[in-house]
Amino acid sequence: MHTGVQRKDAARRIMHYAFELSAQRRVVEANYNTFVNPILHPNRVMQQHDFLYVLDGDWEVALEYNGSSEIFSIQKGDLVILPAQLHHYGTRLCSPNSRNMYLHVEASAGDHIVGAAQECRTDENQVVLPTVIHCGSSVEINRYFSEMIAVCWRDTPYKSNRLACLFDLLVCEISEYCALITKVNTQYFAFVNEIVQFLRSNPERFYSVSDIAHKFYISEKTLNKRFKLVYDKTFYAWQMEQKLDMVYQALQNNTELTLKEAAVNFGFYDEFHLSRAFKKKFGVAPKYVRR
């Protein structure tokens, strides 16, 4: 029987945790999970940090600290950080066909709870993050998770060093993302995120500014202004960058995918248009990114 339970949503989360940078920590495990049938999140105290990124479905997880528990409802696009040596457990079955990515990462001596921090922050030695972050609109965070899982699967030289470096990059990226959403008007962020989710649901098409402005009942000028506020780039530039990131990941994960198929799948005119844009962003032709 757990007492002192408090239910927290994204707007009211209070626990923040400091992660020491450049600690050369060991990534113990990284992988994907799929649960066709609903299950509870494990009831446990781990010696490692548990980073859980929800790809599909929803979960409810409790985290105990100082004699009480906070219950977090986490959904698609949410990242929950369950710090080492703190008791956590599932309070509700996940939805059917839930999928997630997870990392189990060794704790460092400098990692610690910082209490009711008002925002994410970083300095030369540490990054401070909240327990739950909605980051479904960040391709970069998703990509770092995927890359760490891929490195764990491969038997490569300097594997431990690569994973430690990628973890530092991941927590820095999460910190920057948190800082972004705290400085931007939350109404603007919610509006832009609605557009982002629409674009992610329709990756096979390139949308013009006028297409999206018409669909979401906004002027083209205001649309670009809000994208600049949230992402520091125009709608077109953001869309191009995201599509190229998705192509990069698709080519890495599917060696059978042709450039022509990738162009069709992600809305480019043809493989030549895709190849030019890809080389401009990444500095190499698409064929050189395959594993």
Side-chain angles (χ1 to χ4, degrees):
M1 180 73 176
H2 298 282
T3 59
V5 174
Q6 296 177 297
R7 192 175 301 271
K8 300 292 176 182
D9 59 23
R12 295 183 294 159
R13 54 182 177 264
I14 59 171
M15 183 183 290
H16 284 61
Y17 200 86
F19 294 91
E20 184 180 12
L21 291 174
S22 302
Q24 287 299 304
R25 66 184 77 230
R26 187 167 65 96
V27 177
V28 177
E29 189 176 358
N31 215 333
Y32 295 93
N33 274 330
T34 299
F35 301 103
V36 176
N37 298 313
I39 69 163
L40 281 173
H41 190 277
N43 185 336
R44 61 193 177 187
V45 177
M46 296 181 60
Q47 298 307 304
Q48 303 90 31
H49 301 307
D50 184 7
F51 281 61
L52 178 70
Y53 185 102
V54 181
L55 294 169
D56 280 304
D58 59 82
W59 294 71
E60 195 170 87
V61 179
L63 179 64
E64 287 190 345
Y65 174 63
N66 273 352
S68 65
S69 298
E70 294 181 48
I71 297 180
F72 299 101
S73 295
I74 50 178
Q75 302 175 346
K76 180 178 179 179
D78 284 350
L79 166 62
V80 60
I81 300 172
L82 303 168
Q85 300 180 351
L86 293 184
H87 181 209
H88 62 261
Y89 54 94
T91 57
R92 178 169 54 80
L93 297 174
C94 68
S95 57
N97 299 308
S98 289
R99 297 188 305 123
N100 64 62
M101 296 184 285
Y102 70 89
L103 311 172
H104 293 165
V105 184
E106 190 176 65
S108 173
D111 299 346
H112 61 280
I113 294 170
V114 295
Q118 296 302 307
E119 61 182 22
C120 303
R121 65 179 186 272
T122 183
D123 59 31
E124 291 182 357
N125 301 310
Q126 67 177 23
V127 168
V128 177
L129 302 175
T131 309
V132 177
I133 308 109
H134 182 72
C135 51
S137 60
S138 172
V139 170
E140 290 80 8
I141 292 173
N142 188 311
R143 189 171 67 195
Y144 278 126
F145 265 86
S146 300
E147 184 64 22
M148 291 179 74
I149 292 170
V151 172
C152 273
W153 285 352
R154 299 198 305 265
D155 186 16
T156 58
Y158 313 113
K159 180 175 178 176
S160 296
N161 302 78
R162 292 185 185 194
L163 287 168
C165 291
L166 283 168
F167 179 77
D168 275 359
L169 289 170
L170 171 65
V171 294
C172 289
E173 187 65 42
I174 295 169
S175 178
E176 288 182 16
Y177 182 83
C178 290
L180 174 66
I181 63 176
T182 56
K183 77 176 183 180
V184 174
N185 182 299
T186 54
Q187 182 180 359
Y188 288 174
F189 185 84
F191 178 80
V192 169
N193 194 53
E194 184 180 356
I195 296 173
V196 166
Q197 296 307 318
F198 171 76
L199 294 173
R200 290 193 180 282
S201 300
N202 300 275
E204 75 286 350
R205 179 178 169 187
F206 248 108
Y207 289 90
S208 68
V209 177
S210 60
D211 288 336
I212 297 300
H214 178 75
K215 179 173 179 60
F216 287 88
Y217 305 103
I218 192 173
S219 72
E220 295 179 24
K221 182 178 179 180
T222 301
L223 174 63
N224 273 323
K225 182 179 179 180
R226 292 188 180 180
F227 262 82
K228 286 282 286 183
L229 282 170
V230 175
Y231 290 112
D232 198 29
K233 50 179 66 73
T234 64
F235 167 77
Y236 177 84
W238 180 90
Q239 182 179 212
M240 174 64 79
E241 182 177 275
Q242 299 304 302
K243 283 187 175 292
L244 290 171
D245 283 339
M246 288 189 285
V247 169
Y248 189 106
Q249 188 169 333
L251 291 173
Q252 279 200 321
N253 293 335
N254 185 354
T255 57
E256 301 301 318
L257 182 69
T258 68
L259 198 58
K260 185 175 182 178
E261 289 171 332
V264 171
N265 291 344
F266 295 102
F268 291 86
Y269 299 126
D270 52 37
E271 62 267 39
F272 306 107
H273 175 216
L274 170 56
S275 185
R276 287 194 300 272
F278 193 97
K279 190 170 183 179
K280 182 178 180 181
K281 175 175 171 56
F282 296 109
V284 295
K287 65 181 179 181
Y288 292 113
V289 305
R290 293 190 185 277
R291 294 195 176 104

